[in-house]
Amino acid sequence: MNKTILLTAAFLLALAVILGAFGAHGLKEKLGNEMMQIYKTGVEYHFYHALGLLLVGVLAGQMPSSLMNWSAICLTVGIVIFSGSLYTLAITGVRWLGAITPLGGLSFIAGWVLLFIAVWKK
């Protein structure tokens, strides 16, 4: 599973760079200040948690457990929901998407708590 986690992390990190560059160069002139800030927040959290996922993949190789796997799943789901909803909100202006963003935040928290428990149990 740690190979899958590492591959997912590498993919999500590459995607964060692509989406960050797209925002900086492709959306700068199209989005207002508020929407650009929302987009940037999505990119920021995408990067942080993809790097965290990379760490989980490395740790999963050293101390494999189902908790590590669930931590990775939660971080990945968090990126999709949290950052994905912010990207979509910024680009489309559809405000109700902001209502699902906290679900991604909860997924991030769950991922970090599961990592804590996994390491603590070893």
Side-chain angles (χ1 to χ4, degrees):
M1 178 69 166
N2 68 313
K3 182 177 180 179
T4 302
I5 297 169
L6 292 170
L7 289 170
T8 302
F11 171 78
L12 288 171
L13 284 163
L15 185 60
V17 173
I18 292 165
L19 292 172
F22 174 68
H25 302 290
L27 296 176
K28 190 163 80 171
E29 302 300 320
K30 293 181 173 70
L31 297 182
N33 223 16
E34 178 190 7
M35 290 301 163
M36 195 64 205
Q37 191 55 48
I38 289 170
Y39 189 89
K40 284 181 180 181
T41 299
V43 172
E44 226 173 89
Y45 277 75
H46 185 152
F47 264 117
Y48 295 152
H49 291 87
L51 286 170
L53 184 61
L54 187 65
L55 172 67
V56 170
V58 170
L59 290 173
Q62 301 301 310
M63 47 179 115
S65 77
S66 63
L67 290 171
M68 287 285 186
N69 296 342
W70 280 107
S71 173
I73 290 166
C74 286
L75 292 175
T76 302
V77 167
I79 291 168
V80 171
I81 295 174
F82 185 91
S83 295
S85 67
L86 292 181
Y87 296 145
T88 308
L89 167 62
I91 292 168
T92 67
V94 177
R95 293 263 178 205
W96 67 264
L97 288 165
I100 65 169
T101 305
L103 297 175
L106 288 173
S107 188
F108 287 151
I109 293 166
W112 293 119
V113 169
L114 288 168
L115 175 61
F116 175 88
I117 294 167
V119 172
W120 184 44
K121 283 184 142 188
K122 289 292 176 178

